Amino acid sequence: MNKWKTKFSYWKFDKKILLLVTVSILIVTLTVAGVSLTFSIASMKEQSVELLQMQNNTVAESFKGSMDSYKEIVLGTIMDDSVQNYCRQVQKNELKTADIDAVYSKLENLNNMYESLNFAAIVSSDYKSYYYRGKGSLSVTQFEEVYPQAYERSKYAQKGTLKVSYNNDYYNDYYKGNRYTLSLYYPLYDTRKVSDARGLLCMNFDDPAVQRMLAVGDSSAETRVVDTGGMILLSNDKEETGRYVN
């Protein structure tokens, strides 16, 4: 170090000034580069957050639109003449074969109308009987043994009485637990009078909107649908469903 100091002391004045200017320019350049890099990183982070927010908003809107569509299907089914007649006849304890046949016909039509619908069923209010139509047999869907517990475990997705779940409750044995489906449950009422529920409408879908939503992002990303109380309704980590966010 002393050697360099001694050597520097013998330099001419103009050479010292040149060195000073060079060092100053280098310092200023490095400072500007550092500040520019900092702002660039901050800008990239901000843009990434904005893009992620836009992506999340798109996914949320898609899911909301999907749920609204399903709710319309459910309400339309409940308002159908055959289902309303079922509610009234059950209330009077006068359910006849023709009434049941009309319900079966409605359920069959639902399966024909909606490709993503796996099955639809109307269950009695005491859970002791049901009317089922689906693209899979009862032995495949396991509806009979699964639906009481599946309904109890489902969560309220929106204000009202619509309950929803996305899990592998159904088809569990046939697909070894690897088939996840969207289930919706809605109580049946006679729209002409205020009364207790006369049954339960169960509908099960292979929902592409939910599958796309849970597939958004890379493998490290986490996607959840959380209700206003903090309960996880849907998650790409299936074990989280029904838990509460921290």
Side-chain angles (χ1 to χ4, degrees):
M1 188 68 179
N2 290 332
K3 180 180 178 181
W4 281 103
K5 288 181 179 180
T6 302
K7 189 173 182 179
F8 180 76
S9 65
Y10 287 104
W11 283 9
K12 293 181 179 181
F13 179 74
D14 58 345
K15 191 174 181 180
K16 292 180 180 179
I17 292 298
L18 180 60
L19 177 62
L20 179 61
V21 171
T22 303
V23 172
S24 299
I25 292 174
L26 182 60
I27 291 174
V28 170
T29 300
L30 291 175
T31 301
V32 171
V35 172
S36 177
L37 179 62
T38 300
F39 277 106
S40 296
I41 293 174
S43 178
M44 290 174 62
K45 287 182 177 179
E46 184 176 351
Q47 290 178 4
S48 297
V49 171
E50 290 177 356
L51 287 173
L52 182 60
Q53 186 63 50
M54 290 176 59
Q55 186 182 56
N56 287 340
N57 289 341
T58 301
V59 168
E61 287 298 320
S62 176
F63 179 71
K64 182 179 182 300
S66 180
M67 292 305 301
D68 288 343
S69 296
Y70 286 131
K71 191 169 184 178
E72 289 180 7
I73 295 173
V74 168
L75 293 178
T77 302
I78 292 173
M79 296 296 292
D80 187 82
D81 290 342
S82 63
V83 177
Q84 282 300 300
N85 180 66
Y86 166 84
C87 291
R88 288 189 286 272
Q89 298 306 319
V90 165
Q91 187 174 3
K92 294 186 294 184
N93 198 25
E94 297 179 358
L95 194 63
K96 300 179 176 62
T97 301
D99 304 322
I100 296 173
D101 289 343
V103 167
Y104 274 129
S105 178
K106 176 59 181 178
L107 297 179
E108 190 71 43
N109 288 338
L110 288 172
N111 279 275
N112 293 333
M113 288 174 61
Y114 302 105
E115 183 179 357
S116 61
L117 179 64
N118 295 317
F119 62 79
I122 287 179
V123 179
S124 63
S125 57
D126 59 5
Y127 289 176
K128 291 182 179 179
S129 62
Y130 61 84
Y131 309 99
Y132 169 98
R133 283 292 183 269
K135 298 181 178 70
S137 65
L138 287 168
S139 61
V140 173
T141 63
Q142 300 176 267
F143 176 78
E144 184 174 7
E145 58 263 41
V146 168
Y147 76 83
Q149 296 80 15
Y151 172 66
E152 292 300 324
R153 287 197 296 266
S154 60
K155 311 300 177 184
Y156 290 103
Q158 297 175 331
K159 291 181 180 179
T161 52
L162 175 67
K163 298 184 73 175
V164 61
S165 65
Y166 184 73
N167 52 40
N168 60 350
D169 283 347
Y170 299 104
Y171 300 96
N172 201 354
D173 289 347
Y174 193 82
Y175 287 93
K176 309 300 182 184
N178 293 319
R179 183 171 181 177
Y180 285 77
T181 57
L182 179 70
S183 301
L184 294 100
Y185 305 93
Y186 207 97
L188 299 179
Y189 295 97
D190 181 354
T191 57
R192 293 183 180 179
K193 61 174 67 175
V194 178
S195 62
D196 295 333
R198 298 303 169 188
L200 180 69
L201 176 63
C202 308
M203 305 183 81
N204 181 271
F205 294 86
D206 281 322
D207 184 69
V210 172
Q211 293 167 0
R212 286 195 302 270
M213 179 192 69
L214 297 181
V216 166
D218 56 34
S219 59
S220 62
E222 293 182 358
T223 304
R224 301 185 182 102
V225 176
V226 182
D227 67 9
T228 54
M231 180 179 289
I232 299 173
L233 301 177
L234 301 172
S235 173
N236 47 12
D237 181 357
K238 308 302 188 303
E239 298 299 323
E240 287 188 334
T241 304
R243 298 179 184 175
Y244 287 86
V245 295
N246 295 325

